[in-house]
Amino acid sequence: MWKDLARGGTVRRVGTMIVATTAHSAPRLTVTGPELQGMTYLGFLVHGRAEVRAPGLAPVSVHRGEAVILTEPRDVVMESPAPTRWVHVLVTTSRLRERGVPVHAGLCEKRGGSLAGPVAAFASALAEGPGDSGPISDVVAARVLENLVVAVYGEAHEEADPRLDQRRRVRRAAIDLIDERFSDALLTPAAIAADVGVSLRHLQRCFEGSGTTIATEISNRRTENASMLLAAPASRELTVNEVARRSGFSSAFELRSRVRARFGVPPSELRRSRPSVGPQVPVIPP
């Protein structure tokens, strides 16, 4: 199925997900195959307009800048009177449920909002970019893409509920603070709650159902920065203690523990492999 799509574009595996881009002048494009089993399909229409059909479901009209989501479909048919360009993403349904996304098999949903465009652009860059970016870059890219996909779902649900929308704003503010101050070893969930202007318990509630916690976000951000410093040739003179300090860890022991838990290897192994790591990409929270 993806080989057929690749004739009109590119295909790449990102973690457990698959991303593809296609440009078609034909009036009909079919996405089908065993790869759809247990997966949720997201199709982002970058150019043109189309009608999307799936067995047993009513057709959905999709316009430029919109996305269509089908949970565990048998096949997907896109029909269009004009040339179209699509960005396709396949993500495991079980992983979405683990992240707290309310997915239901047999549904065909359309998404617009402010995130469809950025998600399509990022997924397209992954599909069409170099395939040898290195294991650390792949981990970061997979995490960013997964968060963006979760956010596409969450945007629609939270717009309908002011309370959920407020939680999303608090999460966004907390993530922004982590991006700015993760290197400060004194940055804690309690400190972030105080800066955001909410109680620690309310901040923790704002992350409930998102598939992560505020403490996990702090740890992940520090670990990602440390792994990039370890892998970058420009920082080869830094000791592990210095990398730990610049990444916000309280000690080299904590850095080693987090890196090993995240990547399955000690910091010295990352330093020896020195994969090519691209620039950091801001993570949009769910």
Side-chain angles (χ1 to χ4, degrees):
M1 178 262 294
W2 293 106
K3 290 182 180 179
D4 292 338
L5 284 178
R7 294 170 186 166
T10 58
V11 181
R12 181 182 174 189
R13 182 172 292 277
V14 181
T16 60
M17 295 169 283
I18 296 175
V19 294
T21 62
T22 57
H24 289 270
S25 58
R28 183 183 178 95
L29 169 64
T30 301
V31 180
T32 186
E35 294 95 337
L36 293 174
Q37 295 179 4
M39 306 291 283
T40 291
Y41 167 81
L42 297 93
F44 298 88
L45 186 56
V46 179
H47 177 77
R49 57 188 177 88
E51 186 174 79
V52 178
R53 301 175 181 272
L57 299 175
V60 174
S61 296
V62 185
H63 296 81
R64 178 180 178 180
E66 294 180 330
V68 61
I69 303 174
L70 295 102
T71 306
E72 301 183 0
R74 293 192 300 275
D75 55 64
V76 185
V77 177
M78 294 89 154
E79 295 182 339
S80 175
T84 56
R85 175 176 168 79
W86 289 88
V87 176
H88 313 270
V89 178
L90 270 185
V91 57
T92 58
T93 303
S94 60
R95 178 56 182 161
L96 289 174
R97 291 195 173 109
E98 289 174 6
R99 292 292 306 269
V101 175
V103 292
H104 304 283
L107 293 181
C108 181
E109 305 174 87
K110 183 168 69 173
R111 291 287 192 274
S114 60
L115 287 175
V119 177
F122 184 67
S124 177
L126 290 178
E128 298 174 352
D132 56 351
S133 56
I136 298 175
S137 289
D138 288 345
V139 168
V140 175
R143 178 170 179 255
V144 173
L145 180 59
E146 182 181 284
N147 282 347
L148 287 169
V149 169
V150 171
V152 169
Y153 275 95
E155 187 175 47
H157 289 284
E158 290 173 356
E159 285 176 351
D161 189 332
R163 294 172 299 177
L164 294 179
D165 183 58
Q166 191 272 341
R167 291 186 180 186
R168 181 180 63 83
R169 290 197 300 268
V170 171
R171 288 200 304 270
R172 176 70 265 178
I175 294 295
D176 286 344
L177 279 173
I178 293 171
D179 285 342
E180 294 170 7
R181 297 173 48 197
F182 67 88
S183 61
D184 181 358
L186 298 179
L187 185 68
T188 63
I192 292 174
D195 283 352
V196 174
V198 299
S199 69
L200 176 58
R201 179 64 190 121
H202 183 70
L203 178 63
Q204 292 169 335
R205 280 198 298 267
C206 289
F207 277 82
E208 290 176 356
S210 69
T212 187
T213 66
I214 182 65
T216 298
E217 287 299 315
I218 297 172
S219 177
N220 285 345
R221 187 66 180 83
R222 288 170 173 165
T223 303
E224 288 164 4
N225 188 76
S227 64
M228 290 179 180
L229 286 177
L230 289 166
S235 59
R236 62 181 177 274
E237 301 301 327
L238 295 178
T239 66
V240 174
N241 281 323
E242 182 64 14
V243 171
R245 186 188 66 80
R246 294 192 181 192
S247 301
F249 288 113
S250 59
S251 66
F253 175 81
E254 184 183 8
L255 181 151
R256 291 188 181 96
S257 176
R258 297 298 184 185
V259 168
R260 184 180 288 276
R262 182 70 183 276
F263 300 107
V265 296
S268 58
E269 187 69 24
L270 293 182
R271 185 155 263 176
R272 279 196 295 269
S273 63
R274 296 196 183 283
S276 173
V277 178
Q280 296 179 17
V281 182
V283 177
I284 298 177

